[in-house]
Every structure is written in structure tokens, then in C-alpha cells.
Amino acid sequence: MRRRRSLAHPWAAGALAAATLVLPVTIPTPSAAADPATATAASATVFYSTKTKNWSDHYLHYAPDGGPWTTVPGTRMQAACTDWVKLTVDLGSAAGLQATFTDGNGVWDNNGGRNYALGTGNITVKDGVVAHSDPCAAPDEGSGNEATVYYSTQTLGWTTANVHYAPAGGSWTAVPGVGMEAACAGWWKKTVDIGSATSLKAAFNNGNGVWDNNNGADYTIASGTSTVKNNTVTANAEDPCAAEEPDTQAPSVPADVRASATDTSVVVSWDAATDNVGVTRYQVTRTGGTKGSTVTDVGSTVLSDTGLEEDTAYTYTVKAVDAAGNVSAASTAAKATTGKNPPAPAAGAPLGTDPRKDPIYFVMTARFHDGDSTNNRGGSQHTKSGNAANDDPMFRGDFKGLVERLDYIKALGFSAVWITPVVLNRSDYDYHGYHGYDFYEVDARLESTGASYQDLINAAHAKGMKIYQDVVYNHSSRWGAKGLFTPTVYGVRDSQWSWYYDERNEGFEYDGLTVEPKSGKSYYNGDLWSTAEPTGNTCLNWGKPTGGKSAEGYTIYNCQWPGPTSGMFPKAYYHQCWIGNWEGEDSRSCWLHEDLADFDTESTPVQNYLIGAYDKYIDMGVDGFRVDTAVHIPRVTWNRRFLPAIQERVTQKFGAAAAQNFFVFGEVAAFVNDKWNRGSVNHSAQFYTWKERKEYSADDTTAAIEQYDHENNLGTGNQPTSTNAFLDGNTYHAPDHSRFSGMNIIDMRMHMNFGDAVNAYHNGKDSDDSVNDATYNVVYVDSHDYGPNKSATRYSGGTDAWAENMSLMWTFRGIPTLYYGSEIEFQKGKQIDCGPTCPLATTGRAYYGDHLAGSVTASGFGTVASASGQVATTLAQPLVKHLQRLNQIRRAVPALQTGQYSTEGISGSMAYKRRYTSGSTDSFALVTVTDAATYAGIPNGTYRDAVTGDVRTVTNGSLSVAAPGKGNLRVYVLDGPGKIGTDGPYLK
């Protein structure tokens, strides 16, 4: 979830709220008027929805306010009506209760770790949303005047709506009010009995603490039918969901069609057409070339037409289409002639070996090691962040620095390097790489003469090391994606904002590196800045003051910064809503943050743009992709489009064997300790490792909804299972990957539970039967985003605990991964990311190069030929020695790399057996970490410990091992090589 990586401008909250018409804000109560004293009640009747659960039983575990909790699992709830269970709770004098729900078998709904705060009376809890009503009650016939209220959420992105109201002269409903019913697209409806009153006061909310209270004034709504939209109440309104008269009027003809060619791509743009209702899309007809005429639908006034023939004249005409399907006449034609294909990058080739053999070292390239200071850049936040005072620009490390320290990484024992995104970024604080702007261009702030991205790939391969590229399919920067769509932004050249907006520079193209002479900053906004409203503007209330102020007290203007609900981004390429529910369908189809423009990944032009971009890096020879924000794209889209495209390209360029070992691992962020993320299969990491089990509609947007609903209705108990990670007794069996999607996963459950190794181990193996093949799981303790248990700080459990964690990761199933610097507990306990509100030097993303000064040469993976200077001191640290030997042992025992595992017949807190059999290789190992273990029913024979060299002859199928001690382990290998490496501070 990139919201944690995005820039938190001091003015961002004000700008964002002001740039959207009715953007709700989170407030503790609706308003002063809408905060009645809570009436004392003797009980609360809690209704809980079973519709999206696959639970056989339901319990309410609760504590009245100020009182004790019930005994786990709580009190069994009773059936109430279809899809609902209920329980009435005696609260005594309490005004509410804290609550969680469970199936009685260890599956919990605890509101994402926050518990549910419930009031009194009738309360419903459905998919994390709290409301006040009785879902099983008969319809109320009413006893007086009625008010029918329609509420528009078209610009809010809410997935539910409640109305909190008080009849004139009467009492308010209990917060959050009563649930409204879906009326039609973007509208919610509720008819309420207001007795003898002729009007009511009202506020609206989404049931999760986000309110629209008319900017603190509440809404006054008369009896009869009213609509509330964009802070405006319309009395005696027409039903907004009623059928309308058919629209038969065609839009106007698009004017001023322009076409320009670059290499074999053409960008076509035109002025917006007008319509009595509204233009929904444009049809662009292209003629020319050998492929004949084509028609492309677009939702904006620009088309990027790529992959055309060389030296060929093309002609384009445009028609406008409205929602009723009325089509304008064709525009006048525009012509452009293509040139030559751009030169292809020098070809590399992936190493193409089993990725499970390669432990991963994860670096933030811009923060690792600085090989070329001329490409360092601080950006517009250099001084404000505090980085300037430390002479520590955000872009400090680069590919040259990484090439120079590949031997350090190899000396640690790692043979794969995961690097942060390389594409050209555009944001005020974009060193991390997750604000992509030109996906076809490598960021110049990372490259140097003789140290291009291709040079890095080639250098790594020459040392037998892989490069895994972090890739983003979900979103671009808020400045759009060059070659697809970039918005024009309003900026006021006055004394207030001149510090932020660069001088206008006609003809300049942003490259991340070029500095504006006047401000001394890198260009971020200059070529997008426009005081005058541009032709074809779609942004609402262009350039008008919002009425809000920035943190500095500056006037904020509409369209000053891009946002999803402003109308600045075309529907053909970008989603136009904010996430309302992080475990709801909208989390896959709305913006994560104002700095991250959410691609419509179900749009063919977007799919083609991204596939084409990442084909470029596949062709350069990268060995795999780490997929950012994978959960925010529907699995069916991954399975239909992006994953097959990766496989096809690698196969085309390098063959089927290379494609099979091209390693794709996704960040499916799930921050709970449950096997299934809050009971939602669609938001659980293991879900993404599977192919689809049924056919969906051909349209990708429709298919995404169908798949979401289908899998949610099936529930967690009806998901596929696998034995691919498990031994059959003591026997290795060929894994069945026929249902594998092509995406492996970061082991979020182990990551979240690495507060201690035992906890991580037991949680991790509990989920393995629901992963297609957990031996491919990427396992780490902390990262550039989080520490264990969703901590915002780098792991600080202590050196002994780190050693224990490493001993587990390097011998248990999965691929061990280490975030840069953890080998010396770098920045332990420090906040991982605070944006530009504090210096990077004080965070978990601090510059590491000072620890790498000097020279180092590796003689192999986990061994050092020579080292001098500070890097020699770094390599002498105790965890480094521990890590080096773990890598040596893992490399020497195939069972620890690619083996299946079992705990059958084994006692011990972290003890397991692993085996891998293929051809002449048969590797069988018994492992225990920290504590004693006993193994029964194992094959007889001679076992040698890889740590101590101890030899045991088993004749009765049993072997017992004494506790080796915290962080230490034993690895008894059947017919094994004996002791590997030399004793260190932990392995001895």
C-alpha cells in the first residue's frame, strides 16, 4: 500500500479536501448539533451478517464499557433471519460495548485489530460497517409525515451510506444513524417517519467514521422527496433514479485534431466535444500502413498510438459518443508520419535457475551506496525535510554504487538482489521509486556513464547474481504516465506558491535530473503548470479558490493538484474514486493516496501501456519482478493479462525454461494474524497464487466484479488446497503446479508475526496448505514499509532474536530475504518512513554507504577474499558472520533450498524435516532451531550435523537432539557432508 510511501505535504490534506467537491472528513461526531447526549439503555441487540462468511458458528466476544470481557470465544449468537444472527446483551448502566466476532475455531473478525465500538439499541455489523437498525424487522408503515432522502456518493467512493437525523424538535438517532438502501448507481435512499414534524436535520456517513455534515452546519431537509448532492439540498426533487427521456442528440464534432509522431509512436489530441448530456468517450479511426483501418475508443482527449510501422503516413479522425450511444460526425483529419524504431537496449539474459536457491538482499537503490555524486538530487523538499542540513539528498545511491558493492552482497552470501523501481519517477519525494511517470524510461538519477541499468544487470549476472526489479502496475504518479496521459495542473505564480511551482519552460520535458536555474530544484511541476484554463479542460471549478488554506495559510485553488474526483483524469485510463473500505472491492478500483493515480487496469490501453513498458526490462535480462500493491488489482486481471504477458515475453526472448524460473512475487498486503485476511479471500496473499476456477465475462471490468463476488460467496472454506510444500511422510513428491497462477507471494503472515521466531513459524506453516507452493514464499522480518505486527519501525528485538529469526528463515521453507543493513541491525527501532517531515538520516531508510566505505572482494557466496576500510569492520559484525555461515550451509544442502517439509513424528517448538529428490539428488535433513527436538519414524542411516559435524547412526528410526541454544540450530543430513564452515557467535 503505497500511501505509506507517499509524500505527506504540509498542505496535502487541505489541498486534497479542497480539490474535491464533497470530500468527507473523519470527525469524532457529525457536528455540535448532531451530537445528542447518549440515552441510557439497559441492552444492545447486536445483529451480525453471515452473508460473506463461511462460518458454521458465530460468537460475540464483548466487554460493556468499563467492564470485563467475556471468556473466549464469547457467547454464541442465535439465528435471526436470512443472512443474520443476533445476540441481546445486558449492559447495565454502560452506554455501549467493545466487541469482536469469531467462529469459535480461531477465526476472528476484530475490525482490523481495533475491535468494534458499539452503542445501544439495535446495531448491525456487516463487512466491517456498523449501523443502527433491525435488519429482520417488518417494514415500518409510518405514523405521520415522511421524508424520502436520496443521497449521492458519486464523488465520495463510499460503499455504504447511513443517515443520522433528528425530526425538527425531536431527538437524534443514535450514531451512526440508520442504513440507507442502494437506489441506483451513485445514489442511496431512505424514507423516514418524522411524525408531525415537517422537516429534519441530517448528516451522512459511511459507517466507518467518515462524515458529510455540510461543513459543520448539518443539512435541513423538508418532508417529501429531496436529494442531497455536492452539499446541495433540492426539495420536492424528481426521483434521480427514475427513467429519463431518451437522449437522441449527438455530440458536437471534435475540433482541432492534432497528431505528432515520435519514432514509431503517434500522439493524437483534440478539443473536447460538447453534448446536451455529456460526452462519455471518443472513437479514433486510424488509416494507413499495411494493417488497414482501426478504431480505438478512448475516454479522454488524447490517444497514444504505439508500435506502428516505420516511415509510414497515418491519418486520424475522431468522433464523439455520449452515454446514449449517439455519435457525432467525424472530425477533420490529422496526419503524422512515423520515423524509425527506437534502438533496442543491449540484450542481457536472465540466469534462469530455480529462484529458491537464491537468498535475496533487498536494497533501496537511492539509499544504498553512492557511486556518482553528480546524479544526486534533493528535490523540492530537500531543505524542508531536513536532508539539506545533513548533506543527504534523497537520491544519493545509484547503480554505479550498487555495482561497486555487489561483492559486499555476494560476500554476505546472497545471490539475488531485489531493487526498488527503476522507472522515471515524478513526485516531490520520489527516491523510493513508487511514483512512476515514464514507465519506458529508466530514472536518470540512478544511472551514470558506464553504469546504466543494463550495466548493473550484466555486472550482477557476471558474478552469478540475479536482479529482481520492483514493478508497479497499480498506479502512476499523480502527474500521470507519460505516453498514456498527463494532466494539466493549475498553478498560481504569486508570492504564495512561487516556491513550489517551477518557472514555466516551454518545450522542456521532465527528466528528473535537470535543475531549474532560478529555484535550484529539480523540475517536478514546471511543464504541467498553467495559470490559464487550458483548452479541453475537464477539471471542475478550474483555478477557483476552494475556500481552504494550506498549513502555511496559503490560498488553495481547485485543480492545483491532481485528484481522482476532480475530473482531471480520464475514465479510460484512471479510476475516479477514493478507497472507502480497504478490504472491500473498491480497494481494487480506487486511489490509495492523492500522490498515486490509480490505473484502470481493466482498460485495454492501460494494459498495453504497462505490458509494453515491462517487456522492455524483460528484454534487458532481469531475472524476476517483485510486484508492488498486487492486492489492489483483481486476481482475474493478473491471470488474464499481466501474468500471461510476462510468461509469453520471457518465453519468446529466452525460452520456456527461463520463463519457468522467471520469479514473480507479489506484495499482497494483509496485516492480520489470520489465515485469511479478515475472512476475505480476495484480500488474502495466498489467493493470488491460484488460477481461476471458472469463466467470467469477456469484459475485464465486469469479470473483476463477478470474480470478487463469486469467491467471496464461496468463502474461505471452499478455496483450493495444495500439498506442494509438504512431504508425504518422509517422501518427496513431484509438485502439481497445474493450477499455479504465475505469481508467488511475500509471506505476509510470517512477516507480521516475526515479533518472535516461534510465532512466525507456527503462523507461517498454518497457511501453507492454502498456497499453491509455499516453498516459493519470500520470507522477511522487516522491510522499507513495516516491521513485524505492522510496526512502523525497523526490527529492534535484539541481536540474539535476529540470529534466531535468520536461523529459521534460512532452513525453513521459502526464500530468505533481508532488508539492507539488517545484517548489522542498521537503524533498529527507527521509524521506517516519515516522508519529508523528518530527515532520512533519522529513519529506517537512511543512507548505508558510510558502512561500505573501503574495498571488498568476495571469493564466493558467503566468503571474503579481501576487505579494507569501514566495510571490513561491517563484515566483522556478529550477525554478518552468522548470515555468511547460514548461506554456506543452505547452499550445501539442497533440501534447505527446494525441499518439501513435514513435522510428522517430531517434537520441538521449531523442528521439522525437509527433503528434495530429483534424479541423482536425494537430500534429507532434520532441523531444529534453538530448542531440543526428537524425530521418530525417520529413515535409518548415518546423519551428520552441518553445524557441529556430529555423527549419528540411526537404527530404530529415531533421533534426539539437545537444545543448541538461542539462535543456534542443528541440521542433521542423511549421508550429509558434515560440518560446513567455521564456528561463529551463534552457529557452533
Side-chain angles (χ1 to χ4, degrees):
M1 299 178 195
R2 292 284 75 72
R3 55 180 177 161
R4 60 186 179 270
R5 299 192 184 109
S6 304
L7 167 62
H9 289 294
W11 39 260
L16 180 59
T20 55
L21 291 181
V22 201
L23 184 66
V25 293
T26 302
I27 53 179
T29 55
S31 71
D35 187 22
T38 303
T40 301
S43 66
T45 299
V46 181
F47 292 85
Y48 187 66
S49 172
T50 65
K51 186 173 180 62
T52 59
K53 305 291 182 186
N54 190 40
W55 295 0
S56 59
D57 214 341
H58 303 78
Y59 292 80
L60 175 65
H61 179 48
Y62 68 92
D65 291 349
W69 283 86
T70 56
T71 302
V72 173
T75 305
R76 180 180 278 110
M77 306 183 76
Q78 296 86 39
C81 56
T82 303
D83 296 331
W84 291 93
V85 293
K86 72 175 183 178
L87 182 69
T88 298
V89 177
D90 184 357
L91 297 176
S93 60
L97 66 154
Q98 292 284 311
T100 64
F101 302 87
T102 178
D103 69 347
N105 289 309
V107 179
W108 289 84
D109 173 8
N110 62 0
N111 195 24
R114 300 183 298 274
N115 300 330
Y116 290 98
L118 308 180
T120 60
N122 292 323
I123 307 165
T124 63
V125 180
K126 181 178 181 181
D127 296 333
V129 177
V130 176
H132 285 255
S133 63
D134 181 349
C136 302
D140 187 359
E141 298 297 331
S143 60
N145 295 330
E146 289 186 339
T148 298
V149 183
Y150 287 88
Y151 182 68
S152 172
T153 59
Q154 291 173 350
T155 60
L156 302 181
W158 291 0
T159 56
T160 189
N162 297 300
V163 57
H164 176 51
Y165 70 93
S171 300
W172 284 86
T173 56
V175 173
V178 296
M180 304 183 77
E181 298 89 30
C184 56
W187 287 94
W188 298 78
K189 174 185 178 182
K190 187 66 179 178
T191 299
V192 298
D193 183 353
I194 57 175
S196 60
T198 58
S199 66
L200 67 150
K201 285 280 193 180
F204 303 88
N205 65 83
N206 73 345
N208 276 320
V210 181
W211 288 84
D212 171 15
N213 64 358
N214 196 23
N215 297 318
D218 300 322
Y219 292 97
T220 299
I221 300 171
S223 59
T225 299
S226 302
T227 60
V228 181
K229 181 178 182 181
N230 297 344
N231 295 112
T232 300
V233 176
T234 303
N236 301 316
E238 297 292 330
D239 181 348
C241 298
E244 299 179 354
E245 290 294 322
D247 176 15
T248 58
Q249 181 176 329
S252 65
V253 178
D256 195 19
V257 180
R258 307 168 294 280
S260 61
T262 302
D263 300 324
T264 53
S265 298
V266 173
V267 175
V268 187
S269 59
W270 56 92
D271 293 347
T274 59
D275 185 67
N276 61 318
V277 176
V279 175
T280 58
R281 58 191 172 93
Y282 295 89
Q283 293 178 346
V284 183
T285 300
R286 181 191 72 208
T287 57
T290 61
K291 296 180 181 179
S293 176
T294 64
V295 178
T296 303
D297 282 358
V298 297
S300 67
T301 56
V302 62
L303 168 68
S304 179
D305 201 10
T306 61
L308 301 173
E309 298 171 49
E310 292 184 319
D311 300 321
T312 302
Y314 290 95
T315 300
Y316 296 86
T317 58
V318 184
K319 297 179 181 179
V321 185
D322 64 18
N326 299 308
V327 183
S328 74
S331 69
T332 55
K335 298 181 179 180
T337 300
T338 58
K340 300 293 185 183
N341 280 318
L351 295 184
T353 54
D354 191 320
R356 295 173 295 177
K357 297 180 178 180
D358 300 300
I360 302 170
Y361 192 73
F362 171 35
V363 303
M364 298 192 78
T365 309
R367 308 301 300 157
F368 184 63
H369 186 242
D370 189 8
D372 177 7
S373 61
T374 65
N375 58 13
N376 292 358
R377 291 294 182 272
S380 66
Q381 304 295 302
H382 187 48
T383 301
K384 200 165 200 174
S385 64
N387 290 338
N390 295 321
D391 192 22
D392 183 28
M394 59 172 182
F395 269 93
R396 189 171 177 184
D398 45 39
F399 293 146
K400 188 173 189 294
L402 185 51
V403 168
E404 291 174 350
R405 289 298 176 265
L406 285 174
D407 266 42
Y408 169 76
I409 298 171
K410 185 171 184 176
L412 295 177
F414 293 94
S415 50
V417 185
W418 156 18
I419 60 173
T420 40
V422 305
V423 303
L424 177 61
N425 266 233
R426 188 165 197 168
S427 169
D428 296 279
Y429 217 57
D430 56 358
Y431 64 94
H432 42 64
Y434 298 98
H435 295 325
Y437 172 68
D438 188 345
F439 287 69
Y440 286 77
E441 189 70 25
V442 175
D443 201 306
R445 292 166 289 187
L446 298 175
E447 294 196 303
S448 309
T449 302
S452 66
Y453 185 34
Q454 186 68 66
D455 292 325
L456 168 63
I457 295 168
N458 295 345
H461 287 174
K463 294 180 182 294
M465 302 170 70
K466 295 179 178 179
I467 295 293
Y468 294 148
Q469 179 179 329
D470 209 322
V471 294
V472 184
Y473 286 78
N474 178 67
H475 56 264
S476 72
S477 75
R478 66 175 172 190
W479 306 119
K482 183 181 178 183
L484 184 70
F485 174 79
T486 56
T488 300
V489 178
Y490 178 87
V492 179
R493 295 299 298 175
D494 57 21
S495 59
Q496 294 185 349
W497 290 110
S498 58
W499 67 274
Y500 180 74
Y501 285 96
D502 302 322
E503 292 284 0
R504 184 75 170 158
N505 188 341
E506 296 295 341
F508 169 74
E509 288 196 14
Y510 170 80
D511 61 6
L513 198 62
T514 302
V515 172
E516 181 198 34
K518 184 173 181 179
S519 68
K521 301 176 299 189
S522 298
Y523 284 101
Y524 283 95
N525 315 319
D527 64 321
L528 300 178
W529 174 82
S530 174
T531 298
E533 182 173 357
T535 302
N537 165 55
T538 59
C539 186
L540 307 173
N541 297 313
W542 179 275
K544 296 177 181 177
T546 65
K549 299 286 185 179
S550 72
E552 299 87 352
Y554 301 160
T555 299
I556 298 172
Y557 301 86
N558 283 301
C559 311
Q560 197 165 5
W561 299 282
T565 57
S566 63
M568 299 173 78
F569 285 84
K571 291 181 180 179
Y573 303 139
Y574 286 92
H575 291 130
Q576 301 192 332
C577 53
W578 295 103
I579 287 180
N581 179 2
W582 287 89
E583 274 72 45
E585 197 287 322
D586 61 336
S587 72
R588 309 181 313 159
S589 56
C590 295
W591 286 40
L592 302 172
H593 190 274
E594 54 122 354
D595 229 13
L596 306 172
D598 197 81
F599 282 130
D600 179 359
T601 50
E602 286 64 68
S603 158
T604 299
V606 170
Q607 292 169 356
N608 291 342
Y609 176 83
L610 292 169
I611 289 170
Y614 291 126
D615 279 353
K616 168 181 175 175
Y617 305 106
I618 290 172
D619 293 354
M620 293 172 73
V622 296
D623 300 277
F625 288 156
R626 180 268 187 182
V627 180
D628 179 75
T629 49
V631 71
H632 298 292
I633 296 175
R635 185 183 77 176
V636 69
T637 304
W638 283 115
N639 287 349
R640 279 185 174 186
R641 309 300 175 200
F642 297 131
L643 294 173
I646 293 170
Q647 282 291 302
E648 290 166 7
R649 188 67 170 197
V650 180
T651 301
Q652 177 189 27
K653 294 292 292 185
F654 305 111
Q660 181 179 355
N661 288 315
F662 188 91
F663 190 47
V664 178
F665 57 106
E667 178 206 30
V668 184
F671 303 118
V672 295
N673 295 343
D674 303 331
K675 181 173 183 175
W676 296 97
N677 183 8
R678 299 183 178 93
S680 172
V681 295
N682 285 284
H683 295 86
S684 301
Q686 60 268 40
F687 181 72
Y688 279 73
T689 66
W690 297 94
K691 287 182 178 179
E692 305 306 334
R693 293 179 284 170
K694 69 183 296 290
E695 292 292 328
Y696 300 105
S697 297
D699 175 73
D700 284 356
T701 301
T702 303
I705 301 297
E706 291 174 348
Q707 182 242 12
Y708 184 90
D709 291 340
H710 174 72
E711 294 291 352
N712 256 17
N713 288 335
L714 286 177
T716 60
N718 292 298
Q719 294 301 310
T721 59
S722 170
T723 62
N724 285 338
F726 306 116
L727 293 172
D728 183 3
N730 293 315
T731 305
Y732 178 87
H733 61 92
D736 176 10
H737 293 149
S738 61
R739 296 179 293 166
F740 176 50
S741 67
M743 181 186 291
N744 298 287
I745 53 171
I746 293 170
D747 198 321
M748 296 300 294
R749 194 169 180 196
M750 287 194 74
H751 165 47
M752 283 291 111
N753 285 280
F754 252 120
D756 68 86
V758 173
N759 198 36
Y761 166 66
H762 286 285
N763 273 275
K765 67 188 182 72
D766 179 54
S767 296
D768 285 352
D769 65 343
S770 61
V771 181
N772 183 269
D773 191 343
T775 65
Y776 288 86
N777 284 11
V778 170
V779 182
Y780 56 61
V781 174
D782 63 359
S783 72
H784 59 328
D785 289 327
Y786 289 109
N789 302 313
K790 207 179 180 181
S791 164
T793 60
R794 289 194 73 158
Y795 182 73
S796 58
T799 310
D800 291 353
W802 250 126
E804 186 177 53
N805 290 341
M806 290 178 180
S807 291
L808 173 64
M809 288 193 293
W810 261 257
T811 57
F812 188 43
R813 60 94 184 116
I815 303 171
T817 300
L818 200 71
Y819 184 37
Y820 80 97
S822 292
E823 63 272 23
I824 61 169
E825 297 178 86
F826 181 60
Q827 298 295 91
K828 63 181 179 180
K830 296 295 179 67
Q831 184 175 357
I832 293 173
D833 174 31
C834 59
T837 63
C838 67
L840 280 167
T842 66
T843 73
R845 299 176 174 183
Y847 177 66
Y848 192 60
D850 294 340
H851 296 275
L852 304 177
S855 64
V856 57
T857 302
S859 54
F861 290 105
T863 57
V864 181
S866 64
S868 63
Q870 182 59 44
V871 70
T873 303
T874 300
L875 287 167
Q877 299 306 302
L879 282 179
V880 171
K881 295 299 184 184
H882 183 57
L883 186 63
Q884 288 173 318
R885 193 168 182 212
L886 283 171
N887 272 316
Q888 292 168 16
I889 292 172
R890 190 177 189 273
R891 287 186 175 279
V893 182
L896 301 184
Q897 303 170 45
T898 54
Q900 296 163 344
Y901 78 96
S902 173
T903 58
E904 180 183 347
I906 302 175
S907 66
S909 61
M910 287 186 288
Y912 35 89
K913 54 188 174 183
R914 299 191 64 188
R915 190 170 206 155
Y916 176 72
T917 306
S918 178
S920 60
T921 298
D922 185 18
S923 177
F924 183 75
L926 307 174
V927 180
T928 185
V929 179
T930 298
D931 295 323
T934 299
Y935 306 84
I938 60 174
N940 292 330
T942 302
Y943 290 80
R944 297 179 180 88
D945 179 22
V947 178
T948 64
D950 180 45
V951 179
R952 302 283 190 92
T953 301
V954 174
T955 59
N956 62 352
S958 179
L959 187 151
S960 293
V961 180
K966 182 82 168 182
N968 202 352
L969 77 156
R970 297 290 179 257
V971 184
Y972 281 90
V973 183
L974 181 61
D975 297 325
K979 185 174 182 178
I980 300 168
T982 57
D983 288 353
Y986 291 99
L987 296 183
K988 54 189 177 181

